[in-house]
Amino acid sequence: VITKWVPGPPPKIREGTVSIVALPDTEVYAQKHPELFLAQTRWIADQAESRNIAYVLHLGDITQHNNDPQWQVARKSMDLIEGKVPYALVPGNDDYDDLVDGDWQRLRKSSNINKYFKPEAIARWPTFGGFYQQGRLENTYHLFRMHDRDWIILCLEMGPRDEVVEWANRVLREHREHRAIVVTHAYLFRNNQRYDHRRGRERASPHPWGNDGEELWQKLIKKHANVMIVISGHVATGGKGYRQDAGDHGNIVHQMMCDYQKKEMGGLAYFRLLEFAPDGESVHV
C-alpha cells in the first residue's frame, strides 16, 4: 500500500521479479502531447532489462480520433520498444471512426490499427499465438513463459461480439495449462463494478458494441480455471478500480481498471507496473 507518493523512480524490485507494463489510454498524448507517449515508451525501453519487463499491454484508445497524425505518433512511440519488449494491443472506442447510420459492421472495420501495426509482422514474433480474424489485430492472443510457467495474454476488441467470445472460450480451453491475462478496453466501470447495461445508462458503455463487463464475466471469464487477471482502461472519470471474484472453479480472478486521462495533460505519462514476485504467487502493482 502506497501511503505517500514521492517524485522519482519506482522502488527497486526484488531479484527474480518479472514485470508487465499496462499502458492505458494514450489518446490525449497522441492528439496533443506526443512527448509524453514517447517518454513512456522510452522509459520502458531503458528499464526493460533492469526491471525484467516481459510484456507491454496497451489497454486501448491508442488514439483520440483514429486519424493518420495520431497513429503516426503511436507508431513512433511504440517503435522505441520494438524488438526490445513484446507488446499486445487492443482497440478502444476512439480507435474507430464515428458510427454512421448504425452501420456497426462498417465501424468494426474502420480502425487504422492494422495500417500502422502490421499484423503480418507481429505474427512472426515468437510470442505471438494467433488471430481471431487472420491479419487483423482487434482480437489476438500471445504466449510466453514467466517463472517457469506458461502464460497466455488474450486480447479482445471493444465490446467483444458473441462470435469473438466463442473464439476466446476455445482459445482458453486449448491453453488451459497456461495462466491467463485477459485485456480489453472497457470492462470495469466505476465503484469497482463491472459494466452492466441492466443497471441502466452507464457512460460510454461497451454494450452497444457487443458484450459488456458483466456479460464477459458470465460468458467467458468465470468459466475458466486458468484466468488470473482481467485488465481494462476506458473510464477516465474513475481513474482506477479493482475487484476480485471467484470463478466457477474456485480460482480468484483479479479485475483491475486504470486510466489516468483526467490528470493534467491527459495523464501526466502515468502507467501501471505489475511486478510478479519470485514466489510465483504474488503480484505487486
Side-chain angles (χ1 to χ4, degrees):
V1 178
I2 298 176
T3 56
K4 182 179 180 181
W5 180 75
V6 179
K12 292 182 178 179
I13 61 174
R14 291 175 57 191
E15 185 176 351
T17 294
V18 179
S19 302
I20 289 179
V21 174
L23 198 60
D25 299 72
T26 53
E27 57 199 274
V28 177
Y29 308 150
Q31 180 191 16
K32 297 179 180 179
H33 298 288
E35 71 279 5
L36 295 186
F37 202 162
L38 287 163
Q40 289 179 314
T41 51
R42 184 178 297 111
W43 187 93
I44 294 167
D46 290 345
Q47 301 289 325
E49 184 174 353
S50 62
R51 301 195 78 86
N52 202 11
I53 300 175
Y55 243 92
V56 176
L57 313 178
H58 199 302
L59 307 183
D61 277 1
I62 303 166
T63 67
Q64 182 80 277
H65 298 112
N66 190 39
N67 60 31
D68 287 327
Q70 292 174 24
W71 280 106
Q72 288 163 6
V73 170
R75 180 69 267 186
K76 182 179 179 181
S77 299
M78 297 303 287
D79 276 345
L80 295 182
I81 62 171
E82 191 77 33
K84 297 180 180 179
V85 183
Y87 54 85
L89 307 171
V90 296
N93 51 298
D94 290 324
D95 296 318
Y96 296 90
D97 291 343
D98 293 333
L99 182 65
V100 179
D101 298 326
D103 191 344
W104 287 93
Q105 185 175 1
R106 175 183 169 188
L107 178 71
R108 288 284 188 188
K109 297 177 181 178
S110 69
S111 178
N112 282 320
I113 191 172
N114 299 296
K115 176 180 176 181
Y116 283 92
F117 294 89
K118 298 298 185 183
E120 60 273 19
I122 292 176
R124 292 193 291 268
W125 295 357
T127 55
F128 186 76
F131 302 99
Y132 164 68
Q133 183 178 358
Q134 190 65 32
R136 297 192 68 89
L137 294 176
E138 288 88 344
N139 299 283
T140 61
Y141 66 95
H142 305 245
L143 304 169
F144 69 108
R145 285 185 66 80
M146 180 165 57
H147 293 138
D148 295 323
R149 290 181 182 268
D150 291 321
W151 284 77
I152 180 171
I153 300 167
L154 178 63
C155 300
L156 302 177
E157 64 191 5
M158 174 72 179
R161 296 160 285 173
D162 281 341
E163 54 268 37
V164 171
V165 174
E166 292 176 11
W167 167 80
N169 274 304
R170 290 198 302 272
V171 169
L172 289 178
R173 284 195 300 268
E174 290 167 2
H175 298 86
R176 60 176 57 90
E177 301 304 320
H178 291 63
R179 288 186 171 187
I181 301 171
V182 179
V183 184
T184 192
H185 181 58
Y187 175 86
L188 211 60
F189 190 49
R190 300 174 187 161
N191 302 321
N192 305 320
Q193 300 295 312
R194 290 183 287 266
Y195 268 104
D196 188 346
H197 66 283
R198 297 172 302 177
R199 287 196 294 261
R201 187 178 183 276
E202 293 174 320
R203 183 181 179 275
S205 171
H207 182 67
W209 296 71
N211 288 284
D212 61 24
E214 185 61 29
E215 290 171 307
L216 270 184
W217 171 258
Q218 298 293 340
K219 296 180 182 180
L220 175 69
I221 304 299
K222 75 170 190 171
K223 292 183 174 183
H224 299 276
N226 57 333
V227 176
M228 302 286 107
I229 295 171
V230 182
I231 186 163
S232 59
H234 184 54
V235 187
T237 53
K240 54 187 179 296
Y242 173 80
R243 64 179 292 141
Q244 61 180 43
D245 297 280
D248 289 346
H249 302 273
N251 54 305
I252 299 301
V253 183
H254 302 273
Q255 301 146 82
M256 60 183 74
M257 178 268 289
C258 59
D259 179 0
Y260 306 111
Q261 298 178 61
K262 287 299 180 180
K263 293 182 181 293
E264 187 180 349
M265 300 170 72
L268 283 175
Y270 275 67
F271 55 87
R272 178 163 291 189
L273 289 171
L274 283 69
E275 298 178 340
F276 293 75
D279 62 13
E281 300 294 335
S282 307
V283 182
H284 301 274
V285 178

